[in-house]
Amino acid sequence: MIPQTTTTRTVSNALRAQRSHTFKAFYATVRGHTNNPPKPDPVEDVPPNDFILSILKTNPSLRDARSYITSFGLRPHTQPAPNVTKLPPAQAPSNITITTPVRERTVDVTTELPKPSPVIASILNPISRRTALVKLQGPFTDNQLDSICRGMVYLEKLGLVSVIVVESDRNGRSSQEERAALVDETMRIVTNLEKQGSRARPIVGAVVRLGPKPEDEHVELEQGVEPPETHTLPTDLSPIRSALKAGEIPVIAPFALDSFCRSVRVDANNVVAGLARGMVEAASLDATKPPSEESSSEVDLTPLRLMIINRDGGVPSYARSGYPHLLINLKAEYDHITGTFDANWRESHPDALANLALARTCLHYMPTSSSAIMVSHKSQSSLIGNLITNKPAVSSSLPHALLQGNRSLTPHTPTLLRQGLPIQVMRSMADVDKAKMTALLEQSFNRTLDTDAFYKRLDKALDFVIVAGDYAGAAIVTNEPSIDGRPPISYLDKFAVLPSHQGDGTVDFLWVALHDESYGLGHPFSANPNGGRGGKGEGRDLVWRSRSNNPVNKWYFERSTGHVRMGPWVLFWCDAEKRLKIEEGRRGSSGLSYIEDWERGRLSGWAGVVDKIPSAWK
């Protein structure tokens, strides 16, 4: 047996003291809640303060609030100037004496009134108004439409004005009465919006034109992204501009002008895609014009969100047993999702792939900060959470066992889609751009990297590096020799994301790829297209450390199997999921104990190695 040093002995004592609590907490959450059935959809009962409750349920973080304020600003409240006589500075009194027949009162004018919270004020009083493109794919019952329109009105109160495009599957394309039915459906939505307290305007004339723009054949698009089958001219958007300027929600029927200037019925996806591009281009032209009092009061045409509201919800996921994807990285996952789409889902979710393609096309033209959400009519309240936080309803990077047993996941859980970033896995330092990696690490940690020592160590110990985009984020994993004869330790040396990409989904994309390459290996749901092993192989326990005062630790606590404190550090680990699954299968109904034989002594072994890893900073 190797003699323990004083540091290792202290760590071991701490481990023994906390081991029981740590393992109980871990197995109670991960091993005890994997088979809970989801809650049935609640019956909607709208309270009088439903709007405020919907905001409070989002529980926005400080970063979320800052992002919202950046988009919508704070409405200034101007107080009327008091009608008083100005005195020279030398004669200005510090207080004012008011004489009445009854008594004399002194009023201290320096008393300040309580100020409202800036976060609450910014959410309830947006100064800027932005637009959201909404595809409303019915048919919907009256109750369902009430719920949807109420959500649109709530978003308008928060500064996001919907530009709604109507689609209905009730009538076939060959029906002679389809045009009249679509106009009736448009009017029905307008009536319901006004019943909910908003103002709306039906637009039954064509706002898009069939065919791509003439210059499209000379434009190079992202691989696989086809230009929309419709386009707009600046004058085509006049009805939408007029409605927005008048404070009305435009509700658009799915018609387009053909080459003979006839209004013809088209798929709503073509209208939405053409509008996404046209509105972005029109907003760019607006930005080049000199500001005026009239233009300053108009709504920013650039779509901030794309919302696809239907009866089926999001895109089914093989990793969720048919429940929807939580977050989709379109640049990395689009081909994989379409290639692995189950044949049964084509019946239960016939429009999922078409809506997925629509989201990719629209987000190609929209700003990188924009996102798309595919949501069922039963989850309209989630639209507020998405607006304020721009995050999925449940984080996709949480442990898979917790996601499988999470009662908040239902067939109607929304799918959030982002343009995302390509993900690549490198297994040699020769493939790593050290200059870009250094810039990423120093900006992320706000410290100076000891480059010579750091990269010299990685040349010997590197297992793999996962890079998101052009070094917008990275996860570095090394193989550390074990001190007790066990296999090498898989150690997460660095996990970093540029500050400019924190909050845009890159953190979750990167952690999911890390899961697939380490402790999640061996499961079918780890076969994501990140350029690595494709889910094939044996998972390994993943270990890492973090300073005890690191504000990111809360995020680590939620994603780790367990943790233990060791002086100024916190040691985290994630158990290899395939091994746990095999052990559960062997035990059957008897379940796993809190501490298995193969788990004994491993924490002290990990701590002894991790505690000696040198710092990477100067």
Side-chain angles (χ1 to χ4, degrees):
M1 178 179 292
I2 299 176
Q4 291 182 321
T5 63
T6 304
T7 302
T8 305
R9 190 178 299 110
T10 303
V11 170
S12 299
N13 293 335
L15 293 173
R16 282 193 292 271
Q18 299 190 37
R19 181 175 295 160
S20 176
H21 171 74
T22 302
F23 273 102
K24 289 181 180 180
F26 158 57
Y27 287 113
T29 55
V30 175
R31 297 184 178 178
H33 293 281
T34 57
N35 297 316
N36 288 336
K39 294 187 297 184
D41 295 328
V43 178
E44 186 175 19
D45 183 16
V46 183
N49 57 347
D50 181 55
F51 175 55
I52 301 298
L53 291 176
S54 299
I55 296 176
L56 295 177
K57 287 178 182 178
T58 65
N59 191 25
S61 66
L62 183 59
R63 180 183 292 134
D64 298 333
R66 287 172 177 167
S67 177
Y68 178 87
I69 293 172
T70 300
S71 297
F72 295 93
L74 179 63
R75 174 175 297 164
H77 296 277
T78 57
Q79 298 291 341
N83 186 16
V84 297
T85 303
K86 293 185 178 180
L87 298 177
Q91 301 176 12
S94 60
N95 54 44
I96 301 173
T97 301
I98 304 175
T99 304
T100 67
V102 180
R103 65 183 181 274
E104 187 179 84
R105 294 180 299 179
T106 300
V107 181
D108 186 0
V109 298
T110 62
T111 302
E112 294 185 358
L113 296 175
K115 297 181 179 178
S117 164
V119 174
I120 296 175
S122 64
I123 292 177
L124 297 180
N125 297 283
I127 185 173
S128 301
R129 291 196 299 160
R130 307 292 296 274
T131 55
L133 263 175
V134 180
K135 175 190 171 187
L136 205 56
Q137 186 172 1
F140 299 109
T141 65
D142 290 340
N143 288 337
Q144 292 169 355
L145 194 58
D146 284 345
S147 175
I148 294 169
C149 290
R150 186 164 51 251
M152 299 294 101
V153 173
Y154 287 174
L155 293 177
E156 185 183 24
K157 292 180 180 179
L158 293 171
L160 191 70
V161 185
S162 300
V163 177
I164 301 175
V165 179
V166 179
E167 179 63 281
S168 179
D169 301 329
R170 180 179 287 128
N171 303 106
R173 294 288 171 83
S174 60
S175 173
Q176 295 181 356
E177 299 179 352
E178 184 185 19
R179 186 181 187 91
L182 283 169
V183 172
D184 289 344
E185 183 68 11
T186 301
M187 296 303 301
R188 177 170 171 250
I189 295 170
V190 168
T191 301
N192 199 299
L193 286 168
E194 294 185 339
K195 185 179 72 173
Q196 300 295 334
S198 183
R199 298 169 61 192
R201 179 185 300 186
I203 300 177
V204 296
V207 294
V208 297
R209 300 167 184 258
L210 279 177
K213 282 191 171 182
E215 60 267 27
D216 282 348
E217 58 185 44
H218 304 294
V219 177
E220 292 186 8
L221 294 179
E222 181 182 334
Q223 183 179 4
V225 178
E226 297 293 334
E229 296 184 11
T230 60
H231 68 278
T232 66
L233 300 179
T235 54
D236 296 330
L237 299 178
S238 296
I240 296 176
R241 286 183 182 274
S242 175
L244 295 175
K245 187 175 180 181
E248 299 169 337
I249 296 177
V251 183
I252 304 166
F255 303 131
L257 287 179
D258 64 9
S259 57
F260 297 99
C261 292
R262 296 174 301 189
S263 177
V264 296
R265 161 74 153 104
V266 295
D267 192 301
N269 285 8
N270 293 331
V271 179
V272 174
L275 283 177
R277 178 182 182 181
M279 291 170 67
V280 170
E281 291 174 348
S284 299
L285 291 176
D286 292 343
T288 62
K289 298 178 181 178
S292 64
E293 183 177 349
E294 180 179 347
S295 62
S296 63
S297 63
E298 293 184 356
V299 179
D300 186 347
L301 278 182
T302 306
L304 190 67
R305 297 284 189 275
L306 169 67
M307 300 179 180
I308 301 171
I309 305 176
N310 55 26
R311 292 162 295 168
D312 304 327
V315 182
S317 167
Y318 55 88
R320 313 263 180 268
S321 302
Y323 279 11
H325 281 272
L326 298 173
L327 178 65
I328 294 179
N329 179 351
L330 287 170
K331 287 190 176 179
E333 301 177 44
Y334 180 85
D335 292 335
H336 184 70
I337 292 174
T338 54
T340 59
F341 200 77
D342 193 288
N344 294 325
W345 298 338
R346 297 182 186 275
E347 297 182 5
S348 61
H349 297 74
D351 301 303
L353 292 183
N355 287 330
L356 182 67
L358 172 64
R360 182 170 71 156
T361 300
C362 292
L363 289 176
H364 175 77
Y365 295 101
M366 294 162 63
T368 55
S369 59
S370 298
S371 63
I373 185 171
M374 294 173 58
V375 61
S376 160
H377 61 83
K378 294 187 177 182
S379 302
Q380 57 84 17
S381 60
S382 64
L383 298 177
I384 292 180
N386 171 252
L387 170 61
I388 296 177
T389 67
N390 205 12
K391 295 177 181 177
V394 182
S395 174
S396 59
S397 61
L398 287 171
H400 186 75
L402 292 182
L403 288 176
Q404 288 293 87
N406 195 321
R407 294 188 176 187
S408 63
L409 295 183
T410 74
H412 301 282
T413 301
T415 295
L416 183 68
L417 305 99
R418 305 294 296 256
Q419 289 188 42
L421 298 167
I423 303 292
Q424 55 180 326
V425 179
M426 306 172 185
R427 303 195 180 278
S428 169
M429 284 304 299
D431 299 326
V432 177
D433 188 321
K434 294 182 180 179
K436 292 183 178 180
M437 180 65 75
T438 300
L440 164 62
L441 295 177
E442 292 187 342
Q443 289 184 54
S444 178
F445 289 90
N446 196 25
R447 302 181 68 179
T448 302
L449 188 70
D450 187 353
T451 54
D452 292 339
F454 179 68
Y455 290 118
K456 183 178 180 180
R457 171 177 140 72
L458 291 186
D459 286 335
K460 298 178 180 179
L462 182 70
D463 187 3
F464 61 86
V465 177
I466 303 175
V467 175
D470 190 17
Y471 291 81
I476 301 175
V477 177
T478 60
N479 284 316
E480 303 296 334
S482 177
I483 61 176
D484 54 4
R486 299 193 183 197
I489 299 171
S490 183
Y491 176 69
L492 177 58
D493 192 284
K494 291 290 179 291
F495 186 84
V497 174
L498 287 176
S500 59
H501 283 269
Q502 294 175 7
D504 68 357
T506 301
V507 172
D508 279 340
F509 296 146
L510 193 59
W511 191 270
V512 170
L514 174 65
H515 163 275
D516 295 346
E517 288 301 304
S518 57
Y519 64 97
L521 273 176
H523 285 300
F525 52 78
S526 296
N528 290 307
N530 52 38
R533 293 189 174 97
K536 298 178 181 179
E538 295 295 325
R540 299 171 59 192
D541 300 335
L542 182 69
V543 182
W544 71 98
R545 70 183 182 185
S546 175
R547 291 282 179 184
S548 58
N549 60 351
N550 189 345
V552 181
N553 286 347
K554 178 181 182 297
W555 197 83
Y556 286 150
F557 290 146
E558 295 171 343
R559 281 149 188 81
S560 63
T561 294
H563 70 277
V564 64
R565 298 187 182 275
M566 35 183 276
W569 299 100
V570 180
L571 176 71
F572 294 94
W573 77 91
C574 288
D575 280 325
E577 293 178 337
K578 184 178 179 180
R579 181 174 64 238
L580 288 183
K581 196 70 175 179
I582 293 174
E583 290 291 337
E584 288 176 344
R586 290 173 179 170
R587 300 294 179 87
S589 58
S590 61
L592 295 172
S593 62
Y594 286 121
I595 302 179
E596 297 294 322
D597 291 339
W598 49 269
E599 294 174 318
R600 297 184 185 278
R602 65 173 184 166
L603 289 183
S604 58
W606 289 341
V609 172
V610 170
D611 189 57
K612 297 176 182 177
I613 294 176
S615 172
W617 312 107
K618 289 185 178 179

